[in-house]
Amino acid sequence: MRRPTALALLLAAALTACGIDDTGPDPAGPAASGMPRAHDRSAPAVHVYFYSATGLERVSRLYRGPDARQQAIDELVRGPDAAERARGLISFVPSTGVGPTLTVDAHGTADLHLPPTWKPGRTALRQLVCTAADGSRTTKVRLHPPADAPPTTERCTR
């Protein structure tokens, strides 16, 4: 009779205490928020927008410098790479040697200047505007069409 009682007491002690006192939460500092990035440091990636069966998709490309904003536009003009095409991504932006030029003024306004020979459709313009807006960290882009047409302000709607 002693053995079952001793075993029961040992089992009860093991189940009720693990040797750690209840001390409550211990503050360990601020929550994780990602890698800090200085304002003037270059981004490790640029983002371009291609189409898939589900709509507009953001794709990351390795940043090669010196201008991340313009590189994103240039990458968009190059179109999807082989792996992206295998995933079903396509582009409506003309793949020509000369692409649009993206500048950002001191107030943060993004200006996208289209080449004189370009006549992109609405779908291609959406890709361009979203790529320019993403790279410029804005939602609005001033689009300068070819010829003497006045600029229009476009928004990225995904």
Side-chain angles (χ1 to χ4, degrees):
M1 185 91 165
R2 266 194 117 121
R3 226 181 223 164
T5 305
L7 185 60
L9 285 174
L10 184 62
L11 185 59
L15 291 175
T16 59
C18 61
I20 298 175
D21 293 337
D22 184 16
T23 60
D26 189 19
S33 62
M35 296 292 294
R37 188 165 38 138
H39 184 64
D40 60 344
R41 260 174 72 198
S42 302
V46 297
H47 305 286
V48 297
Y49 287 80
F50 295 123
Y51 277 95
S52 72
T54 60
L56 204 56
E57 274 192 42
R58 181 181 186 205
V59 175
S60 297
R61 297 273 178 94
L62 184 63
Y63 172 68
R64 293 189 310 266
D67 182 357
R69 296 174 186 124
Q70 186 60 48
Q71 181 191 335
I73 297 298
D74 296 342
E75 295 284 341
L76 180 61
V77 171
R78 280 189 200 93
D81 62 23
E84 293 160 346
R85 284 191 304 274
R87 286 181 24 218
L89 298 176
I90 60 171
S91 179
F92 293 93
V93 174
S95 293
T96 61
V98 177
T101 304
L102 178 62
T103 59
V104 178
D105 67 17
H107 303 291
T109 303
D111 286 289
L112 188 61
H113 299 268
L114 300 180
T117 57
W118 270 38
K119 291 181 179 55
R122 190 75 201 143
T123 308
L125 287 176
R126 188 169 173 222
Q127 283 181 265
L128 285 162
V129 167
C130 286
T131 299
D134 191 296
S136 304
R137 294 178 177 81
T138 184
T139 57
K140 294 188 271 185
V141 174
R142 194 167 36 214
L143 186 64
H144 298 267
D148 293 328
T152 59
T153 300
E154 304 287 335
R155 286 185 171 273
C156 175
T157 56
R158 291 187 245 163

